[in-house]
Amino acid sequence: MTHEESGTAFRLAYAPGVTPAKWAGIWAERVPGVPLTLVSVPAADVVGLLRGDGADAGFVRLPVERDGLSVIPLYVETTVVVVPKDHAVTAADEVTVADLADDEVFHPLDDVLEWAARPGLPAFERPATTADAIRLVAAGAGLLVVPQSLARLHHRRDLTYRPVTDAPQSQVALAWPAERTTDLVEDFIGIVRGRTANSSRGRAPAQPAQKTAQKTTQKAAQKAAQRESGKPQGGSGRRSVPTGRGKKGRRSR
């Protein structure tokens, strides 16, 4: 039974910072009969949700454990340092990790960046979440290095950010259970990859088959009408006029 037949929604999980609104809008236009349910979960929980059938597909931050998953990398984010607006960092358009060496830098438990060596000085605590770390930065207790989308998500008027050119970056990808690659999953893959509604990989290609079925039905109806009217079958009816052109041996070779 398909999702359309069962009436269920297409469940899309996404990590904080990922904004699926654009893709959700296109989905509503192309697959109006199936509602899209957005499920926001911590980045570390998206894969578990997919494995547990809590979502049909999800936006994850790489790297993830790919066993049993199909993964399509999408884009890489700029990494930024979040600072108070009066911090010395704001004098530059961009900074390096070395520029943060004398500052305390928070490392929240939900950090999505893979650090070989964390920047700056260790802060006095590890906040539980990025949101908690943002509040500590606003209080002047230290700095925070995150993907730019998270800096935007937790925007505050008293804070700003600058790109960190040599910091690790976060890559966002679309993932789903490989064994559950349904037609709706294929639809969403097409949307994310920018395919048009008429792409050969989308659901719209069913239209030629529908047209063929319609033509077959029309031909059957025409034949039935011809039988009722006494006209010979075969389309144009030209074969009903006997001529000698069809006999063999009349043409000179």
Side-chain angles (χ1 to χ4, degrees):
M1 178 178 291
T2 65
H3 285 273
E4 291 93 334
E5 291 170 342
S6 63
T8 59
F10 184 73
R11 302 159 301 168
L12 178 66
Y14 65 99
V18 180
T19 52
K22 173 185 176 181
W23 297 307
I26 297 173
W27 176 275
E29 295 175 358
R30 294 191 188 176
V31 196
V34 181
L36 181 69
T37 299
L38 298 176
V39 184
S40 177
V41 294
D45 296 343
V46 177
V47 169
L49 195 69
L50 294 173
R51 296 191 194 284
D53 195 25
D56 300 295
F59 290 109
V60 299
R61 290 186 180 275
L62 300 180
V64 295
E65 175 53 58
R66 298 194 181 199
D67 185 36
L69 295 180
S70 293
V71 179
I72 300 176
L74 299 176
Y75 59 90
V76 177
E77 286 198 66
T78 298
T79 300
V80 302
V81 58
V82 181
V83 300
K85 283 193 171 180
D86 58 357
H87 194 278
V89 162
T90 61
D93 292 332
E94 58 186 29
V95 299
T96 65
V97 170
D99 294 327
L100 310 178
D102 297 329
D103 289 284
E104 292 188 8
V105 179
F106 291 107
H107 182 218
L109 295 177
D110 63 355
D111 189 8
V112 297
L113 297 175
E114 295 286 321
W115 293 97
R118 289 195 289 271
L121 303 173
F124 66 93
E125 69 168 296
R126 288 196 66 184
T129 67
T130 296
D132 292 335
I134 290 288
R135 285 190 285 270
L136 290 170
V137 173
L143 310 182
L144 176 65
V145 180
V146 291
Q148 183 170 296
S149 65
L150 289 178
R152 289 174 173 171
L153 177 65
H154 299 289
H155 171 71
R156 291 175 54 119
R157 293 181 179 178
D158 51 353
L159 299 179
T160 188
Y161 58 82
R162 293 291 186 271
V164 184
T165 58
D166 57 348
Q169 295 177 306
S170 174
Q171 185 171 26
V172 174
L174 177 67
W176 68 95
E179 64 180 12
R180 299 201 302 272
T181 307
T182 64
D183 286 342
L184 292 180
V185 169
E186 289 285 3
D187 283 340
F188 194 75
I189 292 170
I191 289 171
V192 170
R193 283 186 159 173
R195 297 181 193 137
T196 65
N198 294 323
S199 168
S200 61
R201 294 290 300 276
R203 297 284 291 283
Q207 291 178 356
Q210 293 172 357
K211 290 181 179 179
T212 300
Q214 290 174 353
K215 289 181 179 179
T216 301
T217 302
Q218 290 172 354
K219 287 182 179 179
Q222 290 173 354
K223 290 181 179 181
Q226 289 171 349
R227 286 195 295 268
E228 292 177 0
S229 63
K231 293 181 180 180
Q233 301 178 21
S236 65
R238 288 180 294 177
R239 291 159 57 187
S240 63
V241 180
T243 67
R245 288 181 297 176
K247 297 182 180 179
K248 294 183 180 180
R250 294 297 298 276
R251 295 182 183 177
S252 59
R253 297 285 182 177

